[in-house]
Amino acid sequence: MKIFYAMPFTGKTYEQLVKEKKTIQELVNSFGLELNEQFLGVESKNEFEDHAYGPLFIAEKDHSLIRNSDILIADYSRHSIGRDCEIVIAKEIFDKRVISIVPSRGMQNHPWIRLYSDYIVGSQNEALNLAQKLSSFSLSSNISSLSREQKDTIDIQVNELVKERGINYVTELFPTELKRRWQKLFGKEYRIILDYCFKALPKTLRANTVKANVQKFKKFAKKQGWKLKTLDFSNIAFRLHPNLRPHFSEIPEHQKGLFYVQDFASMIPAIILDPKSEEKVLDIAAAPGSKTTQIAQLMENKGYILANDISTERLDVVKKSCKRLGIKIVKISLGDGVKLGEKYKEVFDKVLVDAPCTNEGILGYKVHKFFEWNLLLLYRITKVQKDLLESGFKALKVGGTLVYSTCSYAPEENEQVVDFLLKKYPNSDVKIIKLKGVKTRSGLTKWEHLEFDQRLMQTARVFPQDNNSIGFYVAKIIKKKSKI
Ligand SMILES: C[S@@+](CC[C@H](N)C(=O)[O-])C[C@H]1O[C@@H](n2cnc3c(N)ncnc32)[C@H](O)[C@@H]1O
């Protein structure tokens, strides 16, 4: 008899895990059973300590081990096992005998099954049958492969649920591990952040000075009856009265490129980058182009921007926006940004690395994103983020500025990524971020068992409750002369 034992790694030290591993091994031996190895990641102390999370090792490497086991034990005994473990367990759970040492709740109560049964297929049995049928169905990760309509349905239904039963009922459905992390990260402000996920944020927009002067836009806004408040950090950017929620794309002036709608926090990275006319700028992950077009505007449509992205469809949106806004200095580039550093060594005056991320800061935009979140995604994305940042840094001239940003709160995607660069490149440094009218919190120097360079304090965390915006992280990095 082979046995598979799953337990939460998160929040545990390496030493604790080694001890638990020994105990489990002894227990299994005493019953004459065989333990299928599931403490992967514990083998190498360095690898384990490189991450603030552990269960992903189970999720990533252990599928065959689970498949070959006769018994699965899901250890819910200490604290919640976390969504990442649930993924794996749920995947194989239907044709295995499961012994849960202290099961907190049965599969029937799994939040995703509840959501799926309530709103997508109708009944719980049907949801469970469906899960069984789709061998690749994994309870939390596979929401990403639902159709656009199904995702929209979830968003609508969840928003209705919030209205009917309140936020608490809905947040109960969110991934356990995400909630644990946010509670630790935000402390007393945890509820405030969750509440903000369901708030309709006031709309912010930029007058497109490439096409017309700001007065023309103001005149148009007045005609529309829009109440505008100029943003402190830019006299061409405005916040609309919170009650105003126009269908912008239907407005002819929007189609003609008189203005561009962009969230307040999303405008910060380009302002910090401070691109000048005639400079050479690399936007390494540019689509759909909100920051590319903002950068072009700051450069007064003079100079050169290489707008790169890995997605053809998303780059089409950049092309269309540039056309609509009359931007002429953008060259579109399709490909993996990770390769650009070698190709364009020290070519650019400014580089923006607005990295792909888990979107934690905008989860409320599209509620289904809450159900897409998992540690495996976090793990995969941090690797891309580090590679993109390193590539962007290589492409930066000595004396140049690079801005790294994400719309996530996870320290692994933010401070840890910048910390990686500071350690690897002694000629990199960070500069403090201060912007009029933007309230920021210092970057972290500690998270779980990870410690980061003290300079990370100079990077900025943008919280929704401080600015009535989405959540963001911004780091300003410079390249000094190499000492060699
Ligand atoms: C946060 S979005 C960028 C948003 C954009 N900067 C804006 O302001 O509109 C991240 C982008 O990274 C792209 N991406 C993901 N992996 C990439 C890679 N290896 N190289 C280049 N782009 C990548 C995604 O397609 C996505 O468009």
Side-chain angles (χ1 to χ4, degrees):
M1 268 297 196
K2 284 185 185 165
I3 194 159
F4 183 90
Y5 176 84
M7 53 164 261
F9 281 18
T10 315
K12 291 183 180 170
T13 64
Y14 177 76
E15 284 71 25
Q16 277 170 327
L17 283 169
V18 171
K19 211 168 134 199
E20 286 199 34
K21 180 177 175 172
K22 205 169 150 240
T23 314
I24 295 294
Q25 189 66 61
E26 282 167 6
L27 197 73
V28 166
N29 289 348
S30 71
F31 283 105
L33 297 166
E34 195 184 322
L35 180 70
N36 257 352
E37 184 58 84
Q38 38 62 61
F39 285 86
L40 292 158
V42 178
E43 308 318 318
S44 146
K45 192 168 194 280
N46 283 350
E47 194 182 0
F48 178 78
E49 290 188 344
D50 241 19
H51 306 289
Y53 38 80
L56 66 100
F57 290 108
I58 298 179
E60 184 139 86
K61 299 178 186 168
D62 279 5
H63 280 181
S64 65
L65 294 177
I66 295 172
R67 229 163 267 140
N68 296 332
S69 303
D70 302 296
I71 300 174
L72 298 181
I73 298 180
D75 180 354
Y76 290 87
S77 49
R78 262 139 297 205
H79 38 85
S80 157
I81 201 159
R83 249 321 168 72
D84 40 334
C85 285
E86 287 169 9
I87 299 171
V88 178
I89 296 161
K91 209 164 173 157
E92 307 293 333
I93 212 159
F94 300 103
D95 52 355
K96 295 277 181 226
R97 198 176 139 207
V98 181
I99 304 169
S100 291
I101 297 173
V102 187
S104 55
R105 49 185 136 111
M107 270 311 293
Q108 304 259 329
N109 253 339
H110 190 288
W112 179 216
I113 285 284
R114 270 152 63 198
L115 187 79
Y116 208 73
S117 61
D118 279 0
Y119 297 108
I120 311 291
V121 289
S123 83
Q124 203 158 55
N125 274 350
E126 220 176 311
L128 282 163
N129 284 342
L130 198 73
Q132 254 167 319
K133 249 189 250 157
L134 306 167
S135 58
S136 64
F137 182 95
S138 78
L139 287 182
S140 54
S141 68
N142 257 35
I143 185 166
S144 51
S145 59
L146 293 179
S147 69
R148 168 66 39 215
E149 288 75 26
Q150 283 174 317
K151 288 181 184 181
D152 288 347
T153 311
I154 294 178
D155 291 341
I156 294 166
Q157 302 285 11
V158 171
N159 281 324
E160 276 174 15
L161 261 188
V162 172
K163 270 186 225 145
E164 265 172 42
R165 306 198 199 177
I167 288 173
N168 286 358
Y169 178 84
V170 173
T171 51
E172 180 58 25
L173 303 170
F174 292 162
T176 342
E177 179 60 7
L178 177 68
K179 287 197 285 187
R180 184 196 73 80
R181 290 168 58 89
W182 278 19
Q183 273 159 5
K184 191 162 181 191
L185 202 54
F186 303 127
K188 282 186 203 146
E189 291 180 290
Y190 165 68
R191 275 256 51 112
I192 301 177
I193 297 260
L194 266 191
D195 290 354
Y196 250 90
C197 290
F198 294 93
K199 271 196 185 161
L201 300 170
K203 295 285 178 194
T204 45
L205 33 86
R206 294 184 267 118
N208 177 27
T209 45
V210 171
K211 277 217 164 154
N213 65 31
V214 70
Q215 295 313 327
K216 188 167 174 193
F217 170 75
K218 281 185 176 170
K219 236 181 181 172
F220 152 79
K222 200 172 170 191
K223 240 182 165 174
Q224 295 286 113
W226 292 354
K227 272 194 188 145
L228 300 177
K229 190 175 175 307
T230 311
L231 300 186
D232 287 336
F233 59 75
S234 167
N235 57 9
I236 56 142
F238 307 91
R239 180 172 262 148
L240 251 58
H241 189 278
N243 293 343
L244 283 170
R245 316 205 71 76
H247 291 288
F248 294 112
S249 57
E250 290 163 14
I251 301 172
E253 281 75 4
H254 180 264
Q255 290 157 8
K256 283 184 212 146
L258 188 64
F259 63 96
Y260 188 94
V261 183
Q262 185 179 7
D263 183 82
F264 173 91
S266 152
M267 291 186 199
I268 299 169
I271 301 276
I272 296 296
L273 191 67
D274 194 21
K276 305 278 187 242
S277 296
E278 306 301 347
E279 280 187 337
K280 273 190 183 158
V281 179
L282 169 63
D283 190 350
I284 210 162
S290 58
K291 295 175 196 75
T292 313
T293 54
Q294 186 189 4
I295 290 168
Q297 196 175 341
L298 291 165
M299 293 165 72
E300 295 171 331
N301 215 9
K302 289 176 203 148
Y304 174 79
I305 304 173
L306 188 65
N308 178 75
D309 204 278
I310 207 158
S311 153
T312 318
E313 297 81 48
R314 287 170 68 88
L315 273 176
D316 280 344
V317 184
V318 185
K319 275 187 214 160
K320 279 186 192 137
S321 294
C322 287
K323 197 166 173 225
R324 177 172 73 81
L325 299 167
I327 290 164
K328 301 254 183 325
I329 60 168
V330 170
K331 180 165 184 280
I332 300 286
S333 146
L334 171 68
D336 187 350
V338 173
K339 295 187 181 142
L340 296 185
E342 285 299 325
K343 190 171 173 191
Y344 298 104
K345 261 190 192 156
E346 306 206 333
V347 164
F348 295 93
D349 302 286
K350 305 275 160 71
V351 174
L352 177 65
V353 182
D354 187 38
C357 67
T358 56
N359 296 317
E360 284 185 24
I362 57 166
L363 287 181
Y365 259 175
K366 295 260 173 206
V367 186
H368 69 263
K369 285 190 178 291
F370 270 107
F371 300 95
E372 281 177 3
W373 187 97
N374 64 62
L375 278 179
L376 202 54
L377 175 68
L378 177 65
Y379 171 68
R380 290 198 177 123
I381 216 115
T382 51
K383 165 99 182 69
V384 180
Q385 289 163 339
K386 282 180 188 164
D387 290 349
L388 280 175
L389 177 57
E390 185 171 7
S391 170
F393 190 72
K394 283 183 184 163
L396 185 67
K397 279 183 188 168
V398 172
T401 301
L402 180 153
V403 168
Y404 175 79
S405 55
T406 72
C407 58
S408 174
Y409 301 118
E412 292 89 339
E413 299 181 68
N414 298 326
E415 287 88 348
Q416 196 183 9
V417 173
V418 180
D419 184 71
F420 152 82
L421 189 85
L422 292 178
K423 284 204 172 87
K424 187 157 179 186
Y425 294 90
N427 62 333
S428 64
D429 202 359
V430 284
K431 288 277 168 200
I432 189 132
I433 291 184
K434 271 198 180 136
L435 208 51
K436 200 171 168 225
V438 185
K439 189 174 168 198
T440 57
R441 318 262 182 126
S442 301
L444 305 179
T445 53
K446 261 184 169 187
W447 166 246
E448 304 271 39
H449 64 268
L450 304 173
E451 286 195 20
F452 312 125
D453 193 305
Q454 289 298 312
R455 286 174 286 174
L456 266 307
M457 277 200 304
Q458 300 182 53
T459 64
R461 297 188 144 250
V462 180
F463 283 6
Q465 65 270 41
D466 293 341
N467 302 290
N468 223 345
S469 69
I470 57 175
F472 239 82
Y473 172 80
V474 188
K476 182 177 179 178
I477 296 163
I478 55 157
K479 190 177 209 169
K480 302 183 290 187
K481 240 191 204 150
S482 214
K483 281 195 183 125
I484 352 152

